[in-house]
Amino acid sequence: MTDPGQDTAEQQRQQPARPAERDPAGPGISGARATGLIVTLVLGGLTALPPLSMDMYLPALPEVTGALHSPAATVQLTLTACLMGMALGQLVVGPMSDKWGRRRPLLAGMVVYVLATAACALAPTTGLLIGCRLVQGLAGAAGIVIARAVVRDLYDGVAMARFFSTLMLISGVAPVVAPLIGGQILRLTDWRGVFVVLTAVGVLLTLAVWRFLHETLPPEKRQAGGLGAALRTMGALLADRVFTGYMLAGGFAFAALFAYISASPFVVQDIYGASPQTFSLLFGLNSVGLVLVGQINGKVLVGRVSLDKALTVGLTVIALAAAALLLMASGVFGKAGLAPIAGGLFVLMSAMGLAMPNTNAQALMRSRDAAGSASALLGTSTFLLGALVSPLVGIAGEGTAVPMATVQLVCALAAIVSFLALCRPWQRRD
């Protein structure tokens, strides 16, 4: 782990990508021109697993409540279980990838993900569906945590921040098309068909990993020791105040986003009367906003504006958008229709394009030699906070958007406080 007091600006000046060293077990990833596009697409596919697993299923939530004869709050636990699994699974897979390399844990996780997703399609009760979603999340964590670790293996400094923004462009296609696909699947079949399609996507991605993604962590750079060593590494990372600040800022920002993911099917469809297809179009539009702002961050701002300044703007806009949503949902401006609510959600989602890539890049810059463990902590905190807010958005029933907006505002303010109190950007040169 790098010295917590190391100058961030010095790290950001290290712009060129560092090609991964050759692995004796297979061909290495050498020049970016030769294999960069394929590797980027595969890594983008791995980071797209969470939105695919979540968003393709969202239009079907109201249907699942009727088909399995369960209340909406119980069906929302299928989202919470998947997210909780992704959070906890990263704590296991991250250190494993530091010890045994990136490739083997990733392939094992992808195979289990495929089997668990197929089981979701066959689940006869809500309880079994929740259990299968938990296993699906545990296995899918491999793709999330190892994709970030591979980026840390290959890139440093500003180049890493730019690559994260590129990944956002690729993985951002998933939330755009996933609800649209989910809505169209519901025209042809029931909610189980969504999981059949997800199973096929998992199979294709597993084959792509096996064929194109070679080892990026050579044996001489792997971590020795067992569980104790992994816990000590994570403890050292958490003792780094700045790392923890970025981790919490990113986690709370994602929690605000997940409050939207969890509540929006009911808010948009049940409260404001939109069809599943209209909901899918609005969700896709919001995802386009996130992708576009992420590209502005990576192509225009990074290298010209400090990552901390871009992050400050992103978190501030998220908080302002959440406050506006709360005022509209509370009726302060009269009865708000779908259009102003959708506009507020669009601004909030778009600002995530400044928050998410910059918190990841800044945190991973603090951990050169334990990228898997650092990625695990980032992912676990993010998904755990998201899972915790999921039940809160429906706490006042299904007839108001106030709980969703309240949770979003509280999470946005917590992200700002974590960033300012722990990272203290004014004390470090950017």
Side-chain angles (χ1 to χ4, degrees):
M1 186 178 68
T2 57
D3 181 359
Q6 185 173 348
D7 187 6
T8 303
E10 181 64 27
Q11 293 172 320
Q12 292 183 4
R13 284 193 289 270
Q14 302 172 10
Q15 294 189 23
R18 298 183 294 105
E21 301 190 24
R22 214 168 189 48
D23 186 343
I29 300 173
S30 54
R33 292 182 181 178
T35 58
L37 178 60
I38 297 177
V39 171
T40 301
L41 290 174
V42 173
L43 293 176
L46 292 173
T47 57
L49 269 181
L52 281 176
S53 300
M54 298 288 179
D55 302 344
M56 194 181 295
Y57 171 64
L58 289 179
L61 280 178
E63 180 181 321
V64 175
T65 61
L68 297 182
H69 308 291
S70 296
T74 302
V75 173
Q76 282 180 322
L77 291 178
T78 62
L79 292 175
T80 303
C82 185
L83 202 64
M84 190 73 73
M86 289 180 180
L88 299 178
Q90 292 183 67
L91 285 178
V92 177
V93 178
M96 285 174 58
S97 73
D98 283 338
K99 182 177 181 180
W100 294 322
R102 314 301 187 201
R103 183 175 165 83
R104 286 184 293 172
L106 177 56
L107 285 172
M110 291 303 301
V111 170
V112 177
Y113 173 88
V114 169
L115 296 176
T117 306
C120 288
L122 303 174
T125 66
T126 305
L128 286 175
L129 179 59
I130 292 172
C132 291
R133 290 282 278 174
L134 177 64
V135 177
Q136 183 192 40
L138 288 167
I144 308 166
V145 68
I146 293 179
R148 274 196 304 262
V150 168
V151 173
R152 187 64 184 95
D153 292 340
L154 297 174
Y155 294 93
D156 202 356
V158 168
M160 180 167 56
R162 286 178 174 152
F163 195 87
F164 274 125
S165 292
T166 301
L167 282 188
M168 182 168 288
L169 172 63
I170 300 170
S171 62
V173 173
V176 173
V177 302
L180 297 174
I181 295 173
Q184 296 307 311
I185 291 173
L186 294 178
R187 287 177 173 267
L188 303 175
T189 182
D190 61 7
W191 63 271
R192 298 182 188 275
V194 174
F195 288 107
V196 172
V197 174
L198 281 173
T199 301
V201 171
V203 170
L204 292 175
L205 188 53
T206 303
L207 293 174
V209 169
W210 177 78
R211 175 65 179 84
F212 297 113
L213 189 62
H214 304 297
E215 186 58 66
T216 60
L217 186 67
E220 62 271 16
K221 291 189 175 181
R222 296 174 188 174
Q223 299 286 313
L227 178 61
L231 292 176
R232 285 192 295 272
T233 299
M234 290 184 176
L237 286 166
L238 292 174
D240 180 353
R241 169 178 52 78
V242 179
F243 173 89
T244 301
Y246 286 121
M247 180 188 73
L248 291 176
F252 281 118
F254 179 82
L257 182 150
F258 194 75
Y260 158 73
I261 292 175
S262 181
S264 60
F266 300 99
V267 170
V268 174
Q269 295 181 76
D270 292 348
I271 298 177
Y272 293 99
S275 67
Q277 288 70 38
T278 300
F279 163 74
S280 299
L281 288 172
L282 291 175
F283 196 95
L285 181 63
N286 291 341
S287 300
V288 168
L290 186 152
V291 170
L292 289 178
V293 174
Q295 292 315 291
I296 292 172
N297 177 73
K299 306 299 183 183
V300 178
L301 299 181
V302 172
R304 295 180 176 88
V305 178
S306 74
L307 302 186
D308 281 339
K309 289 180 181 178
L311 175 57
T312 300
V313 172
L315 294 178
T316 301
V317 173
I318 291 170
L320 291 175
L325 283 168
L326 180 57
L327 292 174
M328 288 188 290
S330 301
V332 173
F333 304 121
K335 186 177 181 180
L338 178 59
I341 294 293
L345 291 173
F346 176 80
V347 173
L348 186 145
M349 282 282 287
S350 298
M352 294 292 171
L354 292 176
M356 302 309 297
N358 291 327
T359 52
N360 282 334
Q362 290 284 61
L364 286 172
M365 282 184 205
R366 315 284 300 182
S367 175
R368 181 183 300 276
D369 299 322
S373 295
S375 179
L377 287 173
L378 289 173
T380 296
S381 61
T382 296
F383 285 93
L384 192 58
L385 286 170
L388 291 175
V389 305
S390 178
L392 300 179
V393 297
I395 199 168
E398 302 168 26
T400 175
V402 169
M404 178 191 73
T406 302
V407 170
Q408 288 174 328
L409 181 57
V410 170
C411 290
L413 294 176
I416 293 173
V417 170
S418 299
F419 172 57
L420 295 178
L422 297 177
C423 300
R424 301 174 189 172
W426 61 88
Q427 294 180 352
R428 302 179 354 262
R429 288 189 298 117
D430 267 1

